[in-house]
Amino acid sequence: MIRRLLGRVFSTTLFRPAKPGVIPRSEHGVSRERISRCAFHVTDTLQRHGHAAFVVGGAVRDLLLGRDPKDFDVATDARPEQVRHLFRRSRIIGRRFRLVHVMCGRETVEVSTFRGGQDFGASDERVTDEHGRIVRDNVFGTQEQDARRRDFSINALFYDPASEQIWDYHHGVADLRKRRLRMIGDPESRYREDPIRMLRAVRLAASLGVEIEPDTRKPIRLLAPLLHLVPAARLFDEMLKLLLSGHAREGVLQLRREGLHHGLLPMLDVILEQPLGERFVMLALEDTDGRIRADKPVSPGFLFATLLWHEVLAAWRAGEARGIASIPALHAAMDQVLQVQAEQLAITRRFGADMKEIWALQPRLVQRSGRRPYRLLDHPRFRAGYDFLRLRCASGEVDPEVGEWWRRFQHAAEPERQAMLVKGEGPRKRRRRRRRRRRDEGEETSAEG
Ligand code: ATP
Ligand code: MG
Protein backbone atom coordinates (compact mmCIF):
# COMPACT_ATOMS: atom_id res chain seq x y z
CA MET A 1 0.00 0.00 0.00
CA ILE A 2 2.71 2.42 1.06
CA ARG A 3 4.75 1.32 -1.92
CA ARG A 4 1.89 2.10 -4.22
CA LEU A 5 1.46 5.49 -2.65
CA LEU A 6 5.17 6.18 -2.89
CA GLY A 7 5.07 5.01 -6.47
CA ARG A 8 2.53 7.66 -7.24
CA VAL A 9 4.68 10.29 -5.60
CA PHE A 10 7.51 9.54 -7.96
CA SER A 11 5.56 9.49 -11.11
CA THR A 12 4.96 13.19 -10.47
CA THR A 13 7.73 15.78 -10.73
CA LEU A 14 7.71 17.13 -7.24
CA PHE A 15 11.42 17.67 -6.86
CA ARG A 16 13.47 20.68 -7.71
CA PRO A 17 17.00 21.18 -6.38
CA ALA A 18 17.33 23.21 -3.15
CA LYS A 19 13.56 23.56 -2.88
CA PRO A 20 11.85 20.78 -1.02
CA GLY A 21 9.41 18.47 -2.64
CA VAL A 22 6.26 18.96 -0.59
CA ILE A 23 4.35 15.72 -0.55
CA PRO A 24 0.73 15.68 0.60
CA ARG A 25 -0.76 12.96 2.75
CA SER A 26 -2.77 11.64 -0.17
CA GLU A 27 0.55 10.61 -1.70
CA HIS A 28 2.61 9.43 1.26
CA GLY A 29 -0.18 8.06 3.42
CA VAL A 30 1.17 8.95 6.87
CA SER A 31 -1.62 10.31 9.04
CA ARG A 32 -0.93 12.54 12.04
CA GLU A 33 -2.45 9.85 14.26
CA ARG A 34 0.80 7.93 13.86
CA ILE A 35 2.69 10.71 15.67
CA SER A 36 3.03 10.34 19.44
CA ARG A 37 0.94 12.63 21.61
CA CYS A 38 4.03 14.30 22.98
CA ALA A 39 5.53 14.98 19.56
CA PHE A 40 2.23 16.44 18.38
CA HIS A 41 1.99 18.59 21.49
CA VAL A 42 5.52 19.91 20.84
CA THR A 43 5.06 20.79 17.15
CA ASP A 44 1.61 22.22 17.84
CA THR A 45 2.81 24.47 20.67
CA LEU A 46 5.80 25.70 18.68
CA GLN A 47 3.65 26.45 15.64
CA ARG A 48 1.08 28.33 17.72
CA HIS A 49 3.90 30.55 18.88
CA GLY A 50 4.83 31.37 15.31
CA HIS A 51 7.68 28.90 14.86
CA ALA A 52 8.27 26.32 12.17
CA ALA A 53 8.23 22.82 13.67
CA PHE A 54 8.44 19.38 12.09
CA VAL A 55 8.89 15.79 13.12
CA VAL A 56 12.22 14.81 11.58
CA GLY A 57 14.74 12.07 10.98
CA GLY A 58 14.33 8.42 11.87
CA ALA A 59 10.67 8.73 12.90
CA VAL A 60 9.51 9.99 9.49
CA ARG A 61 11.58 7.32 7.75
CA ASP A 62 10.12 4.59 9.98
CA LEU A 63 6.56 5.80 9.48
CA LEU A 64 7.00 5.71 5.70
CA LEU A 65 8.25 2.15 6.06
CA GLY A 66 5.14 1.31 8.06
CA ARG A 67 7.14 0.76 11.27
CA ASP A 68 6.54 2.16 14.73
CA PRO A 69 9.21 4.75 15.52
CA LYS A 70 11.15 4.17 18.75
CA ASP A 71 11.14 7.86 19.52
CA PHE A 72 10.30 11.20 17.96
CA ASP A 73 12.61 14.09 17.21
CA VAL A 74 11.40 17.57 16.36
CA ALA A 75 13.25 20.26 14.41
CA THR A 76 12.32 23.92 14.69
CA ASP A 77 13.52 27.43 13.92
CA ALA A 78 13.08 28.36 17.60
CA ARG A 79 16.33 28.69 19.59
CA PRO A 80 16.97 26.29 22.47
CA GLU A 81 16.18 28.99 25.06
CA GLN A 82 12.90 29.82 23.32
CA VAL A 83 11.91 26.15 23.27
CA ARG A 84 12.90 25.79 26.89
CA HIS A 85 10.55 28.65 27.84
CA LEU A 86 7.55 27.17 26.05
CA PHE A 87 7.57 23.86 27.91
CA ARG A 88 7.49 23.59 31.66
CA ARG A 89 9.00 20.11 31.74
CA SER A 90 12.01 20.64 29.52
CA ARG A 91 15.75 21.12 29.77
CA ILE A 92 18.65 22.04 27.56
CA ILE A 93 21.23 19.29 27.08
CA GLY A 94 24.39 18.64 25.09
CA ARG A 95 27.52 20.58 24.33
CA ARG A 96 28.52 19.38 20.90
CA PHE A 97 24.93 20.02 19.84
CA ARG A 98 22.62 21.95 22.14
CA LEU A 99 19.20 20.32 22.24
CA VAL A 100 16.07 20.57 24.34
CA HIS A 101 14.42 17.56 25.90
CA VAL A 102 10.69 18.04 26.38
CA MET A 103 9.00 15.56 28.69
CA CYS A 104 5.31 14.63 28.68
CA GLY A 105 4.44 11.79 31.02
CA ARG A 106 7.03 9.11 30.39
CA GLU A 107 7.84 10.23 26.90
CA THR A 108 10.70 12.54 25.96
CA VAL A 109 10.86 14.39 22.66
CA GLU A 110 14.16 15.77 21.49
CA VAL A 111 13.88 19.23 19.97
CA SER A 112 16.73 20.62 17.90
CA THR A 113 17.06 24.02 16.30
CA PHE A 114 17.72 24.04 12.53
CA ARG A 115 21.46 23.96 12.07
CA GLY A 116 23.75 25.20 9.36
CA GLY A 117 25.79 22.83 7.27
CA GLN A 118 29.00 22.56 5.24
CA ASP A 119 29.01 26.06 3.83
CA PHE A 120 30.03 27.39 7.22
CA GLY A 121 33.72 27.61 7.95
CA ALA A 122 35.16 27.10 11.39
CA SER A 123 33.98 29.66 13.92
CA ASP A 124 33.51 29.79 17.67
CA GLU A 125 30.29 27.90 17.21
CA ARG A 126 31.65 25.32 14.83
CA VAL A 127 34.95 23.69 15.63
CA THR A 128 36.68 20.97 13.63
CA ASP A 129 39.89 19.10 14.48
CA GLU A 130 42.89 18.54 12.23
CA HIS A 131 41.16 15.57 10.51
CA GLY A 132 38.15 17.69 9.56
CA ARG A 133 36.06 16.07 12.27
CA ILE A 134 33.38 18.31 13.79
CA VAL A 135 33.88 18.55 17.54
CA ARG A 136 31.40 21.33 18.27
CA ASP A 137 28.56 22.59 16.12
CA ASN A 138 26.05 25.09 17.31
CA VAL A 139 25.71 27.12 14.12
CA PHE A 140 22.02 27.67 13.60
CA GLY A 141 20.66 27.78 10.08
CA THR A 142 17.67 27.45 7.81
CA GLN A 143 15.52 24.39 7.34
CA GLU A 144 17.21 23.71 4.02
CA GLN A 145 20.64 23.82 5.65
CA ASP A 146 19.38 21.58 8.40
CA ALA A 147 18.31 19.03 5.79
CA ARG A 148 21.74 19.18 4.19
CA ARG A 149 23.73 18.60 7.36
CA ARG A 150 21.85 15.35 8.05
CA ASP A 151 23.54 12.11 7.08
CA PHE A 152 21.38 10.15 4.62
CA SER A 153 18.61 11.30 2.31
CA ILE A 154 16.08 9.01 4.00
CA ASN A 155 16.95 10.64 7.34
CA ALA A 156 16.38 14.17 6.08
CA LEU A 157 12.59 14.15 5.79
CA PHE A 158 10.40 16.67 7.63
CA TYR A 159 6.82 15.84 8.55
CA ASP A 160 4.40 18.60 9.48
CA PRO A 161 1.64 17.10 11.63
CA ALA A 162 -0.62 20.12 11.08
CA SER A 163 -0.74 19.85 7.28
CA GLU A 164 0.32 16.19 7.16
CA GLN A 165 2.85 17.12 4.46
CA ILE A 166 6.35 15.75 4.08
CA TRP A 167 9.10 18.17 3.07
CA ASP A 168 11.79 16.35 1.15
CA TYR A 169 14.95 18.25 0.11
CA HIS A 170 17.12 15.33 -0.98
CA HIS A 171 14.86 12.82 -2.70
CA GLY A 172 14.70 10.78 0.46
CA VAL A 173 11.25 9.38 -0.29
CA ALA A 174 12.49 8.18 -3.70
CA ASP A 175 15.51 6.53 -2.10
CA LEU A 176 13.32 4.88 0.49
CA ARG A 177 11.13 3.53 -2.23
CA LYS A 178 14.18 2.13 -3.99
CA ARG A 179 15.42 0.81 -0.66
CA ARG A 180 18.62 2.76 -1.05
CA LEU A 181 20.79 4.46 1.57
CA ARG A 182 22.42 7.50 0.06
CA MET A 183 24.68 10.03 1.75
CA ILE A 184 23.75 13.67 1.29
CA GLY A 185 26.64 15.53 -0.36
CA ASP A 186 30.10 14.10 -0.95
CA PRO A 187 30.30 10.84 1.00
CA GLU A 188 34.02 10.98 1.67
CA SER A 189 33.99 14.44 3.24
CA ARG A 190 30.85 13.63 5.20
CA TYR A 191 32.57 10.57 6.69
CA ARG A 192 35.65 12.66 7.47
CA GLU A 193 33.50 15.22 9.28
CA ASP A 194 31.98 12.52 11.41
CA PRO A 195 33.33 8.97 11.03
CA ILE A 196 30.49 7.49 13.08
CA ARG A 197 28.39 7.89 9.93
CA MET A 198 30.14 4.80 8.55
CA LEU A 199 28.81 2.76 11.41
CA ARG A 200 25.38 4.34 11.04
CA ALA A 201 25.35 3.39 7.35
CA VAL A 202 25.90 -0.26 8.20
CA ARG A 203 23.44 -0.26 11.08
CA LEU A 204 20.67 1.40 9.06
CA ALA A 205 21.27 -0.82 6.03
CA ALA A 206 21.04 -3.96 8.18
CA SER A 207 18.09 -2.90 10.29
CA LEU A 208 16.00 -1.29 7.55
CA GLY A 209 16.89 -3.88 4.93
CA VAL A 210 18.19 -1.27 2.48
CA GLU A 211 21.28 -1.27 0.22
CA ILE A 212 24.10 1.18 0.74
CA GLU A 213 24.31 3.01 -2.59
CA PRO A 214 27.70 2.40 -4.32
CA ASP A 215 29.13 5.95 -3.99
CA THR A 216 28.11 6.04 -0.34
CA ARG A 217 29.66 2.68 0.25
CA LYS A 218 32.93 3.08 -1.63
CA PRO A 219 34.92 5.34 0.74
CA ILE A 220 34.11 3.28 3.84
CA ARG A 221 36.85 0.69 3.49
CA LEU A 222 39.50 3.37 3.04
CA LEU A 223 38.24 5.61 5.84
CA ALA A 224 37.49 2.87 8.37
CA PRO A 225 40.59 3.72 10.47
CA LEU A 226 39.07 7.16 11.23
CA LEU A 227 36.70 5.44 13.63
CA HIS A 228 39.60 5.43 16.06
CA LEU A 229 39.16 9.18 16.41
CA VAL A 230 35.59 8.87 17.66
CA PRO A 231 35.28 9.14 21.44
CA ALA A 232 34.79 5.71 23.00
CA ALA A 233 31.43 6.56 24.54
CA ARG A 234 29.90 7.62 21.20
CA LEU A 235 31.28 4.55 19.45
CA PHE A 236 29.89 2.39 22.18
CA ASP A 237 26.39 3.89 21.98
CA GLU A 238 26.29 3.39 18.23
CA MET A 239 27.59 -0.16 18.52
CA LEU A 240 24.99 -0.90 21.17
CA LYS A 241 22.26 0.43 18.87
CA LEU A 242 23.49 -1.94 16.18
CA LEU A 243 23.61 -4.91 18.53
CA LEU A 244 20.15 -4.20 19.94
CA SER A 245 18.52 -3.39 16.59
CA GLY A 246 17.01 -6.86 16.18
CA HIS A 247 19.33 -7.25 13.16
CA ALA A 248 22.63 -7.67 14.94
CA ARG A 249 23.68 -10.77 13.03
CA GLU A 250 23.27 -9.08 9.68
CA GLY A 251 24.84 -5.90 11.12
CA VAL A 252 27.99 -7.63 12.33
CA LEU A 253 28.36 -9.55 9.08
CA GLN A 254 28.05 -6.30 7.18
CA LEU A 255 30.58 -4.58 9.45
CA ARG A 256 32.97 -7.31 8.47
CA ARG A 257 32.16 -6.98 4.78
CA GLU A 258 32.88 -3.25 4.93
CA GLY A 259 36.09 -3.79 6.90
CA LEU A 260 34.69 -1.85 9.88
CA HIS A 261 34.98 -4.47 12.58
CA HIS A 262 38.67 -3.87 13.30
CA GLY A 263 39.05 -2.06 16.55
CA LEU A 264 35.34 -1.88 17.30
CA LEU A 265 35.51 -4.95 19.37
CA PRO A 266 39.21 -5.51 19.06
CA MET A 267 39.90 -8.80 17.39
CA LEU A 268 36.27 -9.43 16.54
CA ASP A 269 37.83 -10.07 13.14
CA VAL A 270 40.07 -12.76 14.59
CA ILE A 271 37.20 -14.34 16.51
CA LEU A 272 35.04 -14.45 13.45
CA GLU A 273 37.71 -16.31 11.58
CA GLN A 274 37.87 -19.22 14.05
CA PRO A 275 35.14 -21.75 13.34
CA LEU A 276 34.21 -22.21 17.00
CA GLY A 277 34.31 -18.51 17.82
CA GLU A 278 32.29 -17.51 14.78
CA ARG A 279 29.67 -20.12 15.42
CA PHE A 280 29.35 -19.00 19.02
CA VAL A 281 29.08 -15.29 18.20
CA MET A 282 26.54 -15.91 15.44
CA LEU A 283 24.40 -18.09 17.70
CA ALA A 284 24.51 -15.42 20.39
CA LEU A 285 23.51 -12.71 17.92
CA GLU A 286 20.66 -14.79 16.51
CA ASP A 287 19.47 -15.42 20.03
CA THR A 288 19.54 -11.69 20.81
CA ASP A 289 17.80 -10.78 17.53
CA GLY A 290 15.08 -13.31 18.29
CA ARG A 291 14.53 -11.88 21.75
CA ILE A 292 14.40 -8.27 20.51
CA ARG A 293 11.95 -9.12 17.77
CA ALA A 294 9.77 -10.95 20.29
CA ASP A 295 9.92 -7.87 22.55
CA LYS A 296 11.77 -9.75 25.28
CA PRO A 297 14.40 -7.99 27.37
CA VAL A 298 18.05 -8.50 26.53
CA SER A 299 21.05 -7.74 28.65
CA PRO A 300 23.90 -5.87 26.96
CA GLY A 301 26.27 -7.37 29.53
CA PHE A 302 25.33 -10.85 28.40
CA LEU A 303 25.75 -9.92 24.77
CA PHE A 304 29.19 -8.40 25.26
CA ALA A 305 30.18 -11.38 27.35
CA THR A 306 29.40 -13.61 24.36
CA LEU A 307 31.23 -11.40 21.86
CA LEU A 308 34.40 -11.50 23.91
CA TRP A 309 34.19 -15.03 25.22
CA HIS A 310 36.59 -16.60 22.77
CA GLU A 311 39.18 -13.98 23.58
CA VAL A 312 38.80 -14.76 27.25
CA LEU A 313 39.02 -18.45 26.43
CA ALA A 314 42.26 -18.02 24.48
CA ALA A 315 43.86 -15.91 27.21
CA TRP A 316 42.65 -18.36 29.88
CA ARG A 317 44.18 -21.34 28.09
CA ALA A 318 47.41 -19.41 27.54
CA GLY A 319 47.56 -18.67 31.27
CA GLU A 320 47.00 -22.29 32.18
CA ALA A 321 49.68 -23.31 29.70
CA ARG A 322 52.08 -21.02 31.54
CA GLY A 323 51.34 -23.02 34.70
CA ILE A 324 48.86 -20.65 36.38
CA ALA A 325 46.10 -22.52 38.23
CA SER A 326 42.82 -22.65 36.33
CA ILE A 327 40.65 -20.20 38.27
CA PRO A 328 43.26 -17.47 38.80
CA ALA A 329 44.12 -17.88 35.12
CA LEU A 330 40.48 -17.26 34.17
CA HIS A 331 40.29 -14.14 36.32
CA ALA A 332 43.51 -12.79 34.86
CA ALA A 333 42.18 -13.49 31.36
CA MET A 334 38.91 -11.64 32.08
CA ASP A 335 40.77 -8.58 33.36
CA GLN A 336 43.13 -8.60 30.44
CA VAL A 337 40.36 -8.78 27.83
CA LEU A 338 38.26 -6.09 29.52
CA GLN A 339 41.29 -3.85 29.81
CA VAL A 340 41.91 -3.95 26.05
CA GLN A 341 38.23 -3.29 25.34
CA ALA A 342 37.99 -0.43 27.78
CA GLU A 343 40.35 1.61 25.65
CA GLN A 344 38.15 1.21 22.57
CA LEU A 345 34.65 0.92 23.91
CA ALA A 346 33.33 2.10 27.23
CA ILE A 347 32.33 -1.44 28.14
CA THR A 348 33.86 -1.90 31.52
CA ARG A 349 32.20 0.99 33.26
CA ARG A 350 28.66 -0.08 32.47
CA PHE A 351 28.74 -3.80 31.91
CA GLY A 352 32.11 -5.11 33.05
CA ALA A 353 30.80 -6.46 36.34
CA ASP A 354 27.95 -8.35 34.61
CA MET A 355 30.31 -9.84 32.09
CA LYS A 356 32.77 -11.01 34.70
CA GLU A 357 30.04 -12.68 36.71
CA ILE A 358 28.79 -14.60 33.69
CA TRP A 359 32.31 -15.69 32.73
CA ALA A 360 33.27 -16.63 36.28
CA LEU A 361 30.26 -18.94 36.49
CA GLN A 362 31.41 -21.03 33.53
CA PRO A 363 33.97 -23.29 35.23
CA ARG A 364 31.58 -23.68 38.16
CA LEU A 365 28.85 -24.98 35.87
CA VAL A 366 31.01 -27.87 34.79
CA GLN A 367 31.31 -29.21 38.36
CA ARG A 368 28.27 -31.21 39.20
CA SER A 369 28.96 -32.90 42.52
CA GLY A 370 28.18 -32.35 46.19
CA ARG A 371 26.50 -29.09 47.23
CA ARG A 372 27.91 -27.07 44.34
CA PRO A 373 25.00 -27.32 41.90
CA TYR A 374 22.59 -26.31 44.69
CA ARG A 375 24.66 -23.24 45.53
CA LEU A 376 24.78 -22.30 41.88
CA LEU A 377 21.00 -22.53 41.50
CA ASP A 378 20.75 -19.86 44.22
CA HIS A 379 23.26 -17.61 42.53
CA PRO A 380 21.56 -14.39 41.36
CA ARG A 381 23.20 -14.69 37.93
CA PHE A 382 22.57 -18.41 37.51
CA ARG A 383 20.09 -17.92 34.68
CA ALA A 384 22.50 -15.80 32.65
CA GLY A 385 25.35 -18.20 33.35
CA TYR A 386 23.24 -21.15 32.28
CA ASP A 387 22.01 -19.43 29.09
CA PHE A 388 25.64 -18.69 28.30
CA LEU A 389 26.58 -22.32 28.89
CA ARG A 390 23.84 -23.45 26.50
CA LEU A 391 25.29 -21.28 23.77
CA ARG A 392 28.69 -22.82 24.44
CA CYS A 393 27.12 -26.27 24.09
CA ALA A 394 25.27 -25.33 20.93
CA SER A 395 28.46 -23.97 19.34
CA GLY A 396 30.30 -27.23 20.00
CA GLU A 397 32.66 -25.86 22.62
CA VAL A 398 31.19 -27.78 25.55
CA ASP A 399 29.70 -31.28 25.58
CA PRO A 400 25.93 -30.76 25.08
CA GLU A 401 25.38 -33.30 27.83
CA VAL A 402 26.42 -30.66 30.41
CA GLY A 403 23.75 -28.22 29.29
CA GLU A 404 21.18 -30.99 29.20
CA TRP A 405 22.17 -32.03 32.73
CA TRP A 406 21.49 -28.51 34.02
CA ARG A 407 18.19 -28.28 32.22
CA ARG A 408 17.06 -31.47 33.93
CA PHE A 409 18.58 -30.64 37.30
CA GLN A 410 16.69 -27.32 37.52
CA HIS A 411 13.34 -28.99 37.11
CA ALA A 412 14.00 -32.29 38.90
CA ALA A 413 12.58 -33.24 42.30
CA GLU A 414 15.04 -33.76 45.15
CA PRO A 415 15.52 -37.57 44.94
CA GLU A 416 16.17 -37.29 41.23
CA ARG A 417 18.66 -34.47 41.83
CA GLN A 418 20.52 -36.60 44.32
CA ALA A 419 20.74 -39.37 41.77
CA MET A 420 22.01 -36.92 39.15
CA LEU A 421 24.94 -35.59 41.15
CA VAL A 422 28.22 -36.72 39.70
CA LYS A 423 29.53 -39.34 42.07
CA GLY A 424 33.05 -39.69 43.38
CA GLU A 425 33.66 -35.95 43.36
CA GLY A 426 32.65 -35.22 46.96
CA PRO A 427 34.76 -32.74 48.90
CA ARG A 428 36.34 -35.45 51.05
CA LYS A 429 37.53 -37.49 48.11
CA ARG A 430 38.76 -34.36 46.40
CA ARG A 431 40.76 -33.34 49.47
CA ARG A 432 42.29 -36.78 49.67
CA ARG A 433 43.16 -36.72 46.00
CA ARG A 434 44.71 -33.30 46.29
CA ARG A 435 46.83 -34.45 49.25
CA ARG A 436 47.94 -37.48 47.29
CA ARG A 437 48.84 -35.38 44.29
CA ARG A 438 50.86 -32.97 46.42
CA ARG A 439 52.72 -35.87 47.95
CA ASP A 440 53.44 -37.40 44.54
CA GLU A 441 54.65 -34.08 43.19
CA GLY A 442 56.81 -33.61 46.28
CA GLU A 443 58.36 -37.01 45.70
CA GLU A 444 59.05 -36.17 42.09
CA THR A 445 60.73 -32.93 43.05
CA SER A 446 62.86 -34.58 45.70
CA ALA A 447 63.69 -37.40 43.30
CA GLU A 448 64.87 -34.84 40.77
CA GLY A 449 66.70 -32.83 43.38
P1 ATP B 1 17.15 5.34 15.03
O1 ATP B 1 15.84 4.89 14.49
O2 ATP B 1 18.06 4.22 15.27
O3 ATP B 1 17.04 6.28 16.19
P2 ATP B 1 17.84 7.71 13.65
O4 ATP B 1 18.14 7.96 12.21
O5 ATP B 1 16.63 8.34 14.22
O6 ATP B 1 17.82 6.15 13.84
P3 ATP B 1 19.26 9.19 15.64
O7 ATP B 1 20.59 8.93 16.22
O8 ATP B 1 18.08 9.18 16.51
O9 ATP B 1 19.10 8.13 14.47
O10 ATP B 1 19.36 10.58 14.86
C1 ATP B 1 18.24 11.35 14.48
C2 ATP B 1 18.53 12.08 13.16
O11 ATP B 1 19.64 12.95 13.31
C3 ATP B 1 18.91 11.16 12.01
O12 ATP B 1 17.79 10.66 11.35
C4 ATP B 1 19.73 12.11 11.13
O13 ATP B 1 18.90 12.93 10.38
C5 ATP B 1 20.45 12.95 12.13
N1 ATP B 1 21.76 12.40 12.51
C6 ATP B 1 22.05 11.55 13.51
N2 ATP B 1 23.35 11.29 13.58
C7 ATP B 1 23.92 11.98 12.58
C8 ATP B 1 25.25 12.15 12.11
N3 ATP B 1 26.24 11.50 12.69
N4 ATP B 1 25.46 12.97 11.07
C9 ATP B 1 24.45 13.63 10.48
N5 ATP B 1 23.18 13.51 10.86
C10 ATP B 1 22.90 12.72 11.89
MG1 MG C 1 16.07 8.33 16.38
Side-chain angles (χ1 to χ4, degrees), residues 62-362:
D62 291 349
L63 287 172
L64 281 169
L65 287 170
R67 302 181 176 201
D68 287 326
K70 286 195 305 289
D71 42 43
F72 287 86
D73 299 328
V74 166
T76 178
D77 60 1
R79 299 293 163 104
E81 296 73 21
Q82 293 175 303
V83 178
R84 167 74 194 83
H85 279 112
L86 286 177
F87 301 94
R88 201 170 47 82
R89 290 187 61 213
S90 67
R91 57 171 185 208
I92 296 182
I93 58 147
R95 206 181 92 82
R96 187 171 177 272
F97 298 130
R98 286 171 70 231
L99 305 162
V100 184
H101 274 177
V102 178
M103 281 81 71
C104 346
R106 299 166 95 199
E107 193 186 344
T108 298
V109 167
E110 203 165 272
V111 185
S112 59
T113 304
F114 294 146
R115 276 196 296 266
Q118 291 83 344
D119 27 339
F120 290 83
S123 74
D124 282 359
E125 293 300 312
R126 174 168 234 229
V127 184
T128 54
D129 69 8
E130 72 271 26
H131 306 280
R133 194 170 61 91
I134 301 170
V135 286
R136 181 143 52 88
D137 187 6
N138 282 306
V139 181
F140 298 123
T142 62
Q143 182 176 359
E144 192 220 329
Q145 288 164 341
D146 189 75
R148 212 181 324 149
R149 62 105 192 156
R150 292 177 182 274
D151 45 10
F152 306 104
S153 67
I154 62 171
N155 280 349
L157 299 166
F158 296 78
Y159 179 77
D160 173 10
S163 65
E164 299 184 305
Q165 289 171 336
I166 288 177
W167 292 37
D168 181 356
Y169 290 86
H170 295 282
H171 305 252
V173 180
D175 285 334
L176 207 53
R177 184 173 137 263
K178 292 185 186 144
R179 305 216 142 250
R180 178 166 83 175
L181 192 73
R182 190 171 49 83
M183 179 69 85
I184 296 170
D186 169 49
E188 177 168 343
S189 33
R190 303 298 315 277
Y191 291 133
R192 285 190 187 279
E193 272 176 8
D194 185 2
I196 205 101
R197 288 171 185 154
M198 294 186 271
L199 213 50
R200 289 177 56 83
V202 168
R203 170 170 70 85
L204 291 171
S207 65
L208 303 174
V210 299
E211 261 326 283
I212 306 178
E213 176 266 341
D215 287 343
T216 300
R217 183 174 176 197
K218 212 166 96 204
I220 294 183
R221 189 162 286 280
L222 181 73
L223 300 180
L226 294 181
L227 275 176
H228 289 286
L229 303 171
V230 177
R234 247 191 117 207
L235 204 55
F236 181 69
D237 285 346
E238 195 56 42
M239 194 64 196
L240 200 55
K241 275 195 177 184
L242 183 141
L243 293 172
L244 301 180
S245 66
H247 302 269
R249 185 177 188 277
E250 180 50 32
V252 168
L253 288 175
Q254 193 151 352
L255 281 182
R256 177 162 63 176
R257 280 201 294 277
E258 305 301 337
L260 280 177
H261 52 305
H262 303 278
L264 278 180
L265 288 165
M267 285 159 67
L268 191 59
D269 45 346
V270 180
I271 302 168
L272 292 175
E273 251 110 67
Q274 302 164 354
L276 263 185
E278 160 142 21
R279 187 115 193 272
F280 182 74
V281 168
M282 288 304 146
L283 281 170
L285 294 176
E286 273 166 34
D287 198 62
T288 306
D289 287 345
R291 292 185 66 88
I292 301 254
R293 293 190 205 182
D295 255 342
K296 292 189 194 161
V298 303
S299 132
F302 183 91
L303 187 57
F304 282 112
T306 59
L307 293 180
L308 295 175
W309 173 242
H310 277 259
E311 276 192 67
V312 172
L313 212 52
W316 183 14
R317 301 229 169 97
E320 283 182 330
R322 285 197 306 275
I324 306 173
S326 186
I327 300 301
L330 171 59
H331 283 261
M334 299 189 320
D335 288 339
Q336 181 193 323
V337 167
L338 284 177
Q339 179 67 41
V340 176
Q341 297 298 323
E343 284 156 21
Q344 271 303 309
L345 293 171
I347 287 185
T348 30
R349 219 172 350 107
R350 272 148 80 179
F351 305 112
D354 275 6
M355 296 163 72
K356 278 186 176 180
E357 251 179 342
I358 292 168
W359 289 336
L361 281 172
Q362 298 311 306

